[in-house]
Amino acid sequence: DHIHVVDIALVPEVQSRGLGTALMEAVMQFARAQGKRVRLRVSRHNRAMDWYGSLGFQITDAAAMDVGMQYPIDAVAAGVAG
């Protein structure tokens, strides 16, 4: 019922060029085509949390060190990208 993103890491030299966003948008588009959610976990201290939020991911649970996030099914069904 979902696609789990395990890790995305870009070296600093290529960050802030839209590569990560393009990659995640491709994953989100693939998920929409399959009718699936996209789930991931991110450290609560990682600045990527805000980035995932800007893409439309929502917090689903929180642990001591990390946070579960999900691109919601209604966004998948509607074809909405963050």
Side-chain angles (χ1 to χ4, degrees):
D1 72 331
H2 70 277
I3 295 170
H4 187 88
V5 175
V6 174
D7 190 25
I8 294 179
L10 298 173
V11 294
E13 297 81 32
V14 299
Q15 292 177 0
S16 300
R17 296 185 184 180
L19 297 172
T21 298
L23 178 60
M24 283 306 297
E25 286 177 347
V27 170
M28 292 156 51
Q29 181 178 10
F30 179 80
R32 281 193 297 274
Q34 304 296 314
K36 296 182 178 184
R37 297 174 177 92
V38 180
R39 293 185 180 163
L40 56 88
R41 296 202 72 80
V42 61
S43 168
R44 65 174 53 252
H45 304 292
N46 188 328
R47 63 186 174 140
M49 255 185 77
D50 291 335
W51 175 68
Y52 288 121
S54 76
L55 292 173
F57 283 78
Q58 300 170 345
I59 295 173
T60 57
D61 66 273
M65 296 301 293
D66 63 3
V67 173
M69 298 183 84
Q70 174 175 283
Y71 186 65
I73 192 70
D74 55 338
V76 170
V80 175

